[in-house]
Amino acid sequence: MDQNSNDIPTVTPSVARSWDGTWLLMVRCPWCTKLHTHGGGDGDQPGRFGARVSHCRDGNQGAYVITDPAEVAA
């Protein structure tokens, strides 16, 4: 987990396709350490990276930023 300039943790997802073709962004939550799954759109490539709320904590205390794994690998 990295920290961005706003002290909001940054996480890199595992990416998979759901049975219906929707992209899934799976991250290990930096707050509760459980696996959280977020939708990544239904286009040709996964998308919808950015700020998310984990819902395991109240308000922005449970926020994190999902990074594009392609950009991390570059």
Side-chain angles (χ1 to χ4, degrees):
M1 170 180 70
D2 296 323
Q3 297 282 112
N4 66 21
S5 60
N6 296 322
D7 291 330
I8 298 174
T10 301
V11 294
T12 303
S14 296
V15 179
R17 282 268 197 187
S18 177
W19 62 271
D20 65 356
T22 302
W23 289 102
L24 302 175
L25 308 176
M26 297 161 287
V27 299
R28 183 70 53 190
C29 179
W31 305 112
C32 72
T33 70
K34 293 181 180 176
L35 187 64
H36 291 205
T37 304
H38 297 274
D42 60 359
D44 292 339
Q45 298 292 319
R48 298 188 183 169
F49 303 105
R52 297 296 180 100
V53 176
S54 67
H55 300 290
C56 64
R57 298 184 91 185
D58 293 332
N60 284 341
Q61 293 179 348
Y64 47 78
V65 176
I66 299 177
T67 59
D68 183 342
E71 292 179 8
V72 172

